[in-house]
Amino acid sequence: MDPAGILPDSEIAALFDSGALTALGPLDPDQVQPASLDLRLGDVAYRVRASFLPGPQSRVSEKLDRLRLHQIPLGEGAVLETGCVYIVPLMEGLSLPADISASANPKSSTGRLDIFTRVMTDFGPEFDKIVPGYKGPLYLEVSPRTFPIILRAGSRLSQIRFRRGNALLTEAELAALHETETLVAAQTPNISGGGIALSIDLTGGQDRLVGYRAKHHTGLVDVDRKAAHSVTDFWEPLYNHGKAELVLDPDEFYILVSREAVHVPPAYAAEMTPFDPLVGEFRVHYAGFFDPGFGHSGAGGTGSRAVLEVRSHEVPFILEHGQIVGRLVYERMSTRPKALYGTGLKSNYQGQALKLSKHFIA
């Protein structure tokens, strides 16, 4: 019996070779990550009236026939406006074996741009969850929340990971792994709710910078261009002026950073809970997936902290330095990946502290 766990890069490539993972053309050379696969947009987007789920009785295409407002070709690039919902068929499809399931989440850069994305399947009762044995196309719901964006066919906003069985660590296993590997740089780790806690850093470094708040009514962000946009055109820097706290205004978008460095050992992957009602009325970390090797010293990641995408809900909320903002849950890999995050992959966020997405000039 094959071992349970998240499938590494070599097994993802094997899925493609076996036909369990299909695509319109060959995979891009850098599309397979240590524990995930980047998903590519197809050549058309459909503006729809509202977000929807197909549900167990419908295909996505059937709902699109009823709900779409207009069709937007993506071949030469197109602008997606804030506050609108778009559905994009993806270049990848699936024909999974009965023992393989999958889940999806936004890429780190997507989350840091406040682009809300969710993967859908035919007859799917949930977003971002693909049942074992699923055979059919994949679709991506895209909704820019803060900045209008320009993208094109082949752009990558989301990623998918495949798993066999259940390899989620229990709290006891998590405590034991932390004892040997130091998963978060905390003297007294808070392990509960199935995860290990991360807290917020609101002291700042030497320049007292603690985060950024997104501006409104900005220009376009090109999702495929690195270091192409000025920080000050899109972000307002936030500083510690002597009181290590921050008032989150409702429906404003913030980039903040964890107080603790994070470590994901090579044989594991981690995910941050996107919203924990026990710690406050705000959402943290749209992306939330940490590849094997993130923060690992052998992969050049010593001191890597978690950058947090934060949005308050309904009411203003005061964050104080050291306050818990979320939890990391860890899963075993089925086998160790050939490549680790950061090692030879030109990973954008290995060794990071407070950092905006790769699209902005450092």
Side-chain angles (χ1 to χ4, degrees):
M1 181 179 293
D2 293 322
I6 295 178
L7 274 55
D9 42 16
S10 58
E11 292 193 65
I12 294 172
L15 288 178
F16 183 70
D17 293 337
S18 70
L21 168 65
T22 61
L24 300 175
L27 297 179
D28 295 340
D30 61 345
Q31 194 175 345
V32 178
Q33 301 298 314
S36 62
L37 174 80
D38 291 349
L39 295 171
R40 299 170 296 180
L41 301 181
D43 58 6
V44 64
Y46 299 98
R47 167 82 190 280
V48 293
R49 292 165 52 194
S51 175
F52 65 89
L53 270 170
Q57 305 300 320
S58 300
R59 300 180 187 276
V60 175
S61 59
E62 294 167 349
K63 290 284 184 77
L64 277 175
D65 287 342
R66 181 165 59 88
L67 297 174
R68 70 185 188 187
L69 300 176
H70 60 269
Q71 181 175 319
I72 305 167
L74 300 182
E76 300 300 321
V79 173
L80 303 191
E81 301 285 356
T82 58
C84 299
V85 181
Y86 305 86
I87 306 297
V88 185
L90 295 172
M91 293 178 66
E92 289 73 34
L94 297 176
S95 184
L96 293 177
D99 63 337
I100 301 292
S101 64
S103 58
N105 57 268
K107 290 174 59 65
S108 294
S109 295
T110 304
R112 294 186 202 193
L113 290 176
D114 200 19
I115 306 170
F116 192 59
T117 69
R118 299 187 290 195
V119 168
M120 291 190 295
T121 64
D122 287 341
F123 312 110
E126 296 180 273
F127 293 111
D128 289 334
K129 304 294 183 186
I130 297 95
V131 298
Y134 174 74
K135 294 175 173 57
L138 298 174
Y139 298 83
L140 190 67
E141 177 188 304
V142 183
S143 182
R145 301 292 305 277
T146 295
F147 309 126
I149 59 174
I150 184 169
L151 43 66
R152 52 198 59 81
S155 295
R156 307 180 202 168
L157 299 181
S158 191
Q159 57 191 6
I160 189 170
R161 53 196 184 278
F162 303 91
R163 58 172 55 79
R164 184 183 298 112
N166 180 14
L168 197 65
L169 268 62
T170 65
E171 290 181 15
E173 291 171 329
L174 196 56
L177 184 63
H178 177 76
E179 193 69 29
T180 58
E181 296 282 1
T182 310
L183 302 179
V184 299
Q187 290 184 341
T188 308
N190 181 314
I191 298 176
S192 63
I196 187 166
L198 284 181
S199 65
I200 197 76
D201 180 5
L202 292 177
T203 59
Q206 291 184 344
D207 58 2
R208 318 285 289 180
L209 179 69
V210 299
Y212 297 90
R213 178 166 51 211
K215 293 183 176 181
H216 298 279
H217 313 297
T218 67
L220 292 169
V221 175
D222 188 324
V223 301
D224 295 322
R225 295 181 63 198
K226 294 183 181 180
H229 305 285
S230 167
V231 170
T232 55
D233 288 342
F234 293 84
W235 300 95
E236 174 192 352
L238 304 172
Y239 295 93
N240 172 9
H241 293 294
K243 200 170 186 180
E245 66 180 31
L246 176 66
V247 177
L248 301 177
D249 293 320
D251 291 324
E252 295 290 324
F253 182 67
Y254 300 83
I255 296 293
L256 304 173
V257 70
S258 69
R259 182 173 64 164
E260 301 85 4
V262 172
H263 176 213
V264 183
Y268 298 85
E271 185 173 9
M272 191 169 185
T273 53
F275 176 73
D276 187 345
L278 298 179
V279 300
E281 291 298 317
F282 55 90
R283 180 188 174 102
V284 174
H285 222 67
Y286 288 100
F289 184 64
F290 295 79
D291 271 298
F294 181 89
H296 187 62
S297 58
T302 302
S304 297
R305 291 194 279 170
V307 169
L308 310 170
E309 302 104 29
V310 178
R311 180 184 291 278
S312 184
H313 294 293
E314 306 298 336
V315 296
F317 188 86
I318 297 177
L319 278 181
E320 297 180 347
H321 176 72
Q323 183 172 340
I324 292 175
V325 292
R327 296 184 183 277
L328 286 172
V329 296
Y330 281 73
E331 288 185 81
R332 292 181 182 86
M333 300 293 297
S334 63
T335 57
R336 177 174 170 146
K338 289 183 177 179
L340 296 179
Y341 188 86
T343 302
L345 297 180
K346 299 181 180 179
S347 304
N348 291 296
Y349 306 119
Q350 184 71 294
Q352 70 182 358
L354 176 65
K355 187 175 182 179
L356 294 171
S357 74
K358 63 187 178 183
H359 307 91
F360 300 99
I361 300 168

